Amino acid sequence: MTVIDVRKDLTARTMTITAEFDAPVEQVWRMWADPRLLERWWGPPSYPATFVEHALTPGSRVTYFMTSPEGDRYHGYWTITSVDAPKGLSFDDGFADADGNPNDAMPTSVIQVRIDEHGDRTRMSIETTFASTEAMDQLLSMGMEEGMTLAMGQIDELLVSA
Amino acid sequence: MVVDNDERADAIFHALADATRRDIAIVAMGQEHSVSSLARRYPMSVTAIQKHVNVLERAGLVTKERHGREQLVRGNIEAVREAFTVLERLEAVWRARLERFGDVLTEIDREAIRHQGEPT
């Protein structure tokens, strides 16, 4: 796996990351389409993800939770907006309550996934757009302890995988 | 500005590459501590802790202030906030995810090869 491009645009509230994999398009698509495979990469090892509902069809809701080392569950959801298997999908990503219902008080983002053949490799780009500047500010000002823990967890992740 | 942020992020990543330093940073974010009280938390000499604190200070993660005979260490949460804007945190999240994504792809490829050799 090689990350070949990262673009961040603060005014557009967008981050786009592109990676290249030594695998066919169908295999890369399976990583999204098969919830048991998705669970192996969506959450960091210290916060593994469990997908509860998972139907990749426009309009359907995918629900999942991540479990902290202390056993606390953090729920999230996707609302699928478009699917073009095996070339990509789009969904709204948000926080949910314990029953998997969207928590409208929390910020949401729009994620667009594109998967394309590139020679004998496959390129995947992930574009994330935050719903609003307020949503970004809200994420920044989220509890200091929580923010630190998350940041540290991610740093751990990066260092382990570096 | 982007370059400054990247350099800051690099310094922070380096400073936090060590488990003791990560712990000191978290402890100091919560409350200020003297170097000697920090040293009592770890099986290390005051000098070793002092060195760790200096690395954290260079990255801007903590500040040091002399108070009589004591040096007080205080975490600087703003440094973390500045370096890890929302988009940068998001990049870190996705870099880690894509790393795992690639690893799982490799694993399932190996599993498939192993299964080919098995009788059906």
Side-chain angles (χ1 to χ4, degrees), chain A residues 1 6 8 21 31 40-44 124 128 130 136 140 148 154-159 161, chain B residues 13 16-17 22 29 77 81 86-88 90-91 93 95 97-101 104-105 107 111:
Chain A
M1 192 283 299
V6 180
K8 282 170 284 189
F21 301 96
M31 300 285 287
R40 285 165 68 175
W41 65 270
W42 183 260
M124 177 169 76
T128 301
F130 285 102
M136 294 175 70
L140 255 194
M148 273 300 283
Q154 286 154 15
I155 289 163
D156 257 355
E157 279 309 294
L158 286 176
L159 293 169
S161 57
Chain B
F13 273 61
L16 296 175
R22 273 202 297 282
M29 294 288 167
I77 192 70
R81 285 232 176 90
V86 167
L87 292 182
E88 272 151 0
L90 190 65
E91 178 187 341
V93 168
R95 278 184 181 274
R97 268 187 193 151
L98 292 172
E99 192 77 38
R100 293 192 294 271
F101 194 104
V104 175
L105 272 176
E107 284 163 26
E111 286 161 20

Side-chain angles (χ1 to χ4, degrees), chain A residues 13-153:
Chain A
R13 309 180 308 276
T14 297
M15 195 281 301
T16 309
I17 187 163
T18 307
E20 213 172 79
F21 301 96
D22 194 9
V25 168
E26 289 72 22
Q27 196 80 299
V28 171
W29 171 252
R30 256 186 79 206
M31 300 285 287
W32 291 91
D34 180 340
R36 301 294 83 83
L37 289 179
L38 180 57
E39 287 173 346
R40 285 165 68 175
W41 65 270
W42 183 260
S46 48
Y47 281 75
T50 306
F51 282 79
V52 184
E53 288 167 88
H54 183 277
L56 298 188
T57 48
S60 49
R61 182 168 295 154
V62 169
T63 57
Y64 70 94
F65 58 87
M66 289 160 84
T67 309
S68 80
E70 293 77 30
D72 296 325
R73 289 179 172 184
Y74 297 92
H75 295 260
Y77 75 93
W78 302 347
T79 301
I80 307 293
T81 48
S82 75
V83 181
D84 178 22
K87 307 279 283 177
L89 78 159
S90 308
F91 56 93
D92 298 336
D93 182 30
F95 292 85
D97 64 21
D99 299 319
N101 298 313
N103 178 348
D104 294 331
M106 295 291 279
T108 59
S109 56
V110 174
I111 298 186
Q112 279 182 287
V113 183
R114 285 204 53 84
I115 302 168
D116 289 299
E117 198 177 290
H118 198 264
D120 55 356
R121 288 163 73 84
T122 298
R123 272 189 189 177
M124 177 169 76
S125 76
I126 315 278
E127 183 190 286
T128 301
T129 308
F130 285 102
S132 62
T133 312
E134 289 73 29
M136 294 175 70
D137 288 346
Q138 195 182 348
L139 279 176
L140 255 194
S141 60
M142 255 161 64
M144 182 176 100
E145 199 180 326
E146 189 179 353
M148 273 300 283
T149 310
L150 286 174
M152 295 286 179

Side-chain angles (χ1 to χ4, degrees), chain B:
Chain B
M1 189 183 128
V2 172
V3 174
D4 282 354
N5 266 347
D6 280 353
E7 278 174 13
R8 173 73 72 81
D10 281 349
I12 290 178
F13 273 61
H14 168 72
L16 296 175
D18 179 272
T20 306
R21 282 202 294 271
R22 273 202 297 282
D23 200 62
I24 293 174
I26 292 170
V27 167
M29 294 288 167
Q31 199 195 333
E32 65 177 20
H33 286 268
S34 66
V35 172
S36 52
S37 81
L38 284 171
R40 282 196 290 275
R41 302 173 72 102
Y42 309 95
M44 282 180 208
S45 67
V46 174
T47 314
I49 294 298
Q50 184 76 58
K51 278 184 188 164
H52 282 315
V53 168
N54 289 344
V55 175
L56 290 169
E57 188 186 24
R58 279 199 294 276
L61 281 164
V62 302
T63 55
K64 269 191 316 195
E65 201 185 313
R66 185 155 281 288
H67 240 255
R69 293 174 58 189
E70 287 281 24
Q71 280 207 309
L72 293 180
V73 181
R74 188 179 305 168
N76 179 15
I77 192 70
E78 282 308 314
V80 180
R81 285 232 176 90
E82 280 167 31
F84 296 98
T85 66
V86 167
L87 292 182
E88 272 151 0
R89 281 193 211 168
L90 190 65
E91 178 187 341
V93 168
W94 273 102
R95 278 184 181 274
R97 268 187 193 151
L98 292 172
E99 192 77 38
R100 293 192 294 271
F101 194 104
D103 290 346
V104 175
L105 272 176
T106 311
E107 284 163 26
I108 59 177
D109 197 35
R110 278 202 210 110
E111 286 161 20
I113 290 168
R114 241 197 339 266
H115 287 309
Q116 275 172 12
E118 288 174 6
T120 47

